[in-house]
Amino acid sequence: MSTATTTEAFSEEFVAFHAGSKPSYRKVLKGAELKPTFNEIPVIDFTDIDSSSLATRKALGKLLYQTCSEVGFFYAKGHGIPQSVLDETLSALKKFFELDHDTKMTAHLHKNPAIRGYEPMGETKLDPKSNGDTKEAFTMGDDLLELEQNYPSNLPIPANAIPQNIWPAGAPWFRKALYRYYHHVFPFAMQLVRLIALVLCDDDHAFDDMFKFPITGMRALHYPPRPVEMKNYIGLGAHADFTWITLVLQDSVPALQVLNANGVWIPAPVIPGAFVCNVGQYLERHTNGIFPATVHRVANLTGDSRYSLAFFLTPDPDAVVEPLKECVGESERKYDAINVGDLYIRRILAARQKHPTAKKYKDTPEQELKYDILFKSIA
């Protein structure tokens, strides 16, 4: 991952993106500099992900390994979630974003210490060359106090636990719709975890102790049509996800782009009924860089609104992620062991600098930022 640090370096063409607390840069390669890399996103059919045949599951895992190591992105077909659930979920997103501004603002993320809730236009700016991200969003995630999430009875409830989600007033149907989708997508995401465990460690359950009640997030997104007069337009700036794995449900409007090793943006067109999935930074660390957290962005250049729903899966906040011995072998160990929750809070505060929690801790050294900040009042 190349980083430009001098004025001279910036005289060449670079792509800026976020993959940590500060922007990084990748040079756009040309001519003799070009590397072998991907030019399209592979499609994988997961119909047999729970096959009783170990050989069948291992063959599927081998295909997933190849795709994650070479691209870091893939389409997931055959996931078993009914099309009716996908369609009704997207309809609920559209209905929510069509609500009046005041209703959506009853769940404004600035009212929530965990940085969940409604995010109006202009809240983030991931691409320093743009005027800011042109999108609105709603985020909910892991919350041991919400009965819909079935917090395991054998796990302790922290004494400082407070609600982590906030919901819009007068729209109970929205919470119901998101949880209906959650109860379908979360089990499939955990199937992917077990398949990756099988192919990396030869044991479906190798990661079970890291995913007892994992950090999850569901981020509903609305990208309006591009204003004709807007220059340096971007829907969501270039970034690598700070997750273990991400699954995205897209509507029919194309906008997602993925950055290859040559600094070229590769379109990820919509495949009806399929998720588009990608490796996150935790899995990149877990595999010692074998699976890259591939950079991507969203640019809705059509005349239509675009709606999508990202599901983020990350290990338990108290888990420790370090390179697997199976992924290091004789090579160099590229990453130190990290506490999942502590890295999570450092990344999310850097990405939400306008939020009261980020402002409250803006002068705190990064190494002192701890996950339990999310359980503290923002007053």
Side-chain angles (χ1 to χ4, degrees):
M1 188 176 295
S2 59
T3 302
T5 57
T6 66
T7 303
E8 291 77 12
F10 278 103
S11 65
E12 300 181 75
E13 188 177 356
F14 285 82
V15 175
F17 60 91
H18 274 260
S21 302
K22 299 177 181 179
S24 297
Y25 301 86
R26 180 173 301 167
K27 185 180 178 183
V28 178
L29 304 182
K30 299 176 181 178
E33 295 179 312
L34 291 172
K35 304 175 182 178
T37 187
F38 66 90
N39 290 302
E40 61 181 3
I41 310 303
V43 180
I44 302 178
D45 188 333
F46 289 96
T47 301
D48 293 328
I49 194 169
D50 266 347
S51 171
S52 59
S53 167
L54 179 61
T56 297
R57 298 201 311 277
K58 282 190 171 183
L60 182 58
K62 183 178 180 180
L63 177 59
L64 181 60
Y65 182 100
Q66 179 183 356
T67 300
C68 286
S69 58
E70 294 179 357
V71 183
F73 256 81
F74 59 93
Y75 290 100
K77 293 174 58 179
H79 45 68
I81 302 176
Q83 186 64 43
S84 60
V85 172
L86 306 183
D87 294 341
E88 290 166 14
T89 301
L90 288 170
S91 294
L93 302 193
K94 182 177 180 181
K95 183 178 177 181
F96 169 75
F97 287 116
E98 288 176 345
L99 292 173
D100 64 89
H101 181 71
D102 289 345
T103 298
K104 289 183 288 190
M105 288 295 284
T106 62
H108 189 205
L109 80 168
H110 285 198
K111 299 178 180 180
N112 177 268
I115 318 181
R116 310 265 178 81
Y118 174 65
E119 180 183 298
M121 295 283 181
E123 186 71 27
T124 59
K125 181 178 179 178
L126 292 183
D127 187 340
K129 298 179 182 178
S130 75
N131 298 317
D133 296 333
T134 308
K135 54 100 177 77
E136 57 179 335
F138 179 90
T139 301
M140 58 83 69
D142 56 290
D143 188 330
L144 57 89
L145 299 180
E146 291 196 339
L147 297 180
E148 295 98 330
Q149 298 197 22
N150 301 314
Y151 185 71
S153 59
N154 63 328
L155 296 181
I157 297 178
N160 62 341
I162 61 173
Q164 296 288 279
N165 291 324
I166 183 172
W167 297 93
W173 51 266
F174 185 55
R175 176 172 177 165
K176 183 178 180 180
L178 285 189
Y179 268 118
R180 184 185 184 209
Y181 179 76
Y182 170 91
H183 288 138
H184 283 86
V185 71
F186 179 62
F188 176 64
M190 290 305 302
Q191 288 178 315
L192 291 177
V193 171
R194 289 189 289 272
L195 185 62
I196 292 171
L198 178 64
V199 73
L200 293 178
C201 305
D202 202 30
D203 179 1
D204 306 71
H205 299 286
F207 304 148
D208 284 3
D209 285 344
M210 301 176 62
F211 288 90
K212 298 184 296 293
F213 190 71
I215 297 174
T216 57
M218 291 212 312
R219 194 176 190 209
L221 290 146
H222 168 222
Y223 301 93
R226 176 187 180 182
V228 175
E229 71 281 1
M230 180 176 285
K231 297 180 180 179
N232 299 321
Y233 167 84
I234 197 73
L236 180 60
H239 64 285
D241 288 350
F242 50 97
T243 64
W244 200 83
I245 196 166
T246 302
L247 296 77
V248 179
L249 171 65
Q250 305 185 85
D251 70 1
S252 60
V253 178
L256 181 62
Q257 301 172 344
V258 181
L259 190 66
N260 72 13
N262 290 323
V264 176
W265 288 108
I266 305 301
V270 178
I271 297 180
F275 296 121
V276 60
C277 308
N278 61 278
V279 171
Q281 294 177 52
Y282 289 96
L283 185 51
E284 180 177 70
R285 285 174 170 268
H286 216 175
T287 60
N288 202 41
I290 293 175
F291 291 0
T294 304
V295 175
H296 51 287
R297 70 182 183 184
V298 178
N300 180 14
L301 304 180
T302 74
D304 299 314
S305 283
R306 178 184 189 263
Y307 300 91
S308 64
L309 181 56
F311 178 83
F312 306 118
L313 181 66
T314 300
D316 301 338
D318 62 352
V320 173
V321 166
E322 59 184 324
L324 295 161
K325 66 179 186 300
E326 293 87 350
C327 295
V328 176
E330 301 297 323
S331 62
E332 177 187 359
R333 182 184 167 109
K334 298 178 181 179
Y335 301 97
D336 294 328
I338 53 96
N339 173 273
V340 168
D342 292 349
L343 180 61
Y344 175 86
I345 192 64
R346 294 164 193 172
R347 293 289 188 265
I348 197 171
L349 292 185
R352 298 290 184 276
Q353 296 181 11
K354 295 181 182 181
H355 192 275
T357 299
K359 291 180 179 179
K360 183 176 181 179
Y361 295 98
K362 65 181 178 65
D363 296 323
T364 302
E366 186 177 75
Q367 65 271 19
E368 296 179 17
L369 293 172
K370 302 297 181 182
Y371 183 75
D372 65 1
I373 284 172
L374 299 181
F375 296 97
K376 297 180 179 181
S377 170
I378 54 178

